[in-house]
Amino acid sequence: MTQQKPVISAAEVAKHNTRESCWIIVHGHAYDVTEFLDDHPGGSKIILKYAGKDATEEYDPIHPPDAITSNLPPEKHLGPVDPDTVKQTPKELTAEQKQREERSRLKPPIDECLNLHDFEAVAKATLPDKAWAYYSSAADDEITHRDNRAAFQRIWFRPRILRDVTHVDWSTTILGHRSPMPVYITATALGKLGHPDGELNLTRAAGKHGVIQMIPTLASCSFDEIMDAGVQDQVFFMQLYVNKDREKTKKIVKHAEKRGVKALFITVDAPQLGRREKDMRMKFEDSGAAVQAKSNEKVDRNQGAARAISSFIDPGLSWKDIPWFRSITKSKNFGQHHLPIILKGVQCWEDAVLAAEAGCDGIVLSNHGGRQLDTARSGIEILPEVVDELRKRGLFPNPKFSIFVDGGVRRATDILKAVALGATAVGVGRAFIYAFSAYGQEGVEKAIKILDDEFEMNMRLIGARNISEVVPSMVDTSSLSLHVTTVPEDRLYRGNYEAMRGAEVREVIKAKL
């Protein structure tokens, strides 16, 4: 029987506010993190900022709730903190924070959101600066990020007419699992930056509507928390960043398989995270803690939330690891003897061919939402050449090898273009994050409904009665690879241009006395 630990006062915790003895409070419990400082994926500086203090508010958005209990040995769990001894310091809001809170109060009713762009507009107006910077940021000059969107608009439809489209069906099968549409919710990190329930908003909405969700390695909610929130027979995939410690990776994969995850999407485009300057700039607002100055540490504020949580990722991941991943899973799902393995982040046809030849079960043509290598091409632009090269080698079409695309998707027409060019389904990430950041679970459900409505209309308009009738001849890709203008746009010009307006937060009208 575990002996109950004594209650500790906040004053006692406050004494341990140095690198040599560092205690913090998280969720009402005290922890000795002294020996963990240099092992923390986000570095020691952020922990030292809260040395001797309550770190819960900083901890929650970027950690699963069990992160600290799982990573610290039991003897470092010091016990509960007497809540009566914790001083509640009133949090003073800045003028900008007050304005955002007011904009949140005045955000438009959800019925005024007519498309996925509208959720982004509301999220931009109401999210805290740190959250917006993390979600919206991309690599370097954000050219790839912007071209992910523009590339879909370089593809034109060639609709067919006089077909009986009274009944249209856009459901499909993704890795052997039925889906109401050729869409899955792709992995995006740190959901609690946008909403207190984080990724659970996605899980609950996906379960209600039968949409497949990919669970991210860097979710704010724990893996088990997300799985437990699912309904019976809900389908989950898992996105995996590979840890330098392969035993940790094996443990994660085995646990995911045991819990019923249906496929493993291994991220292969991130040997190092890209330079996301919007996110990085947020760190300049924080001058660090006094304890950091005392320890003569240089306060590095250039990394941003992304790099702060990702230092464990293995840059040594290579093709030779694929057989190992196959060997550590035993699933018979989808007629296989291993958990289906999908490489997420393929960016050229040569690697697509290697993936098929290596026995992978599929690929995601993706540039990480434009967050890695800037001026890398979009997944949709790469898709036609990938299909052509696979076809030449007798590797396409292949029911045992799926091709997915993500990045820049905002309309059902985008998804239909990808399907016409050979994609099995498309991953949507940011759009769903913006939906729940603005409106919680209801926002995600509304976003799914919007896509449903768009599918119904556009299936009829292109003359396709089911997904199998969405074929290459329905699209014109002659302009897809032509980057003949400033790519994708001149931001300075756009700053002076009065753009189309979407859903807007109502302005506060101050009465003048």
Side-chain angles (χ1 to χ4, degrees), residues 236-253:
F236 292 97
F237 299 153
M238 182 180 184
Q239 175 269 333
L240 181 72
Y241 283 120
V242 178
N243 198 301
K244 296 169 187 174
D245 184 340
R246 286 294 192 272
E247 283 304 307
K248 288 184 178 178
T249 293
K250 182 177 180 180
K251 183 179 178 181
I252 290 169
V253 172

Side-chain angles (χ1 to χ4, degrees), residues 240 249-257 264 325 328-329:
L240 181 72
T249 293
K250 182 177 180 180
K251 183 179 178 181
I252 290 169
V253 172
K254 299 292 281 186
H255 181 64
E257 186 177 31
L264 187 65
F325 279 106
I328 64 172
T329 64

Side-chain angles (χ1 to χ4, degrees), residues 242-306:
V242 178
N243 198 301
K244 296 169 187 174
D245 184 340
R246 286 294 192 272
E247 283 304 307
K248 288 184 178 178
T249 293
K250 182 177 180 180
K251 183 179 178 181
I252 290 169
V253 172
K254 299 292 281 186
H255 181 64
E257 186 177 31
K258 184 178 179 180
R259 286 299 312 261
V261 161
K262 303 303 183 185
L264 187 65
F265 284 64
I266 303 172
T267 294
V268 294
D269 61 359
Q272 175 179 328
L273 287 200
R275 182 180 173 88
R276 305 166 190 177
E277 295 181 9
K278 284 179 187 172
D279 184 32
M280 292 164 66
R281 286 187 192 282
M282 291 303 301
K283 297 302 160 185
F284 282 98
E285 298 179 1
D286 183 358
S287 60
V291 66
Q292 295 173 37
K294 290 177 184 175
S295 62
N296 296 317
E297 286 194 82
K298 183 180 178 182
V299 180
D300 182 1
R301 302 184 298 280
N302 297 340
Q303 300 307 299

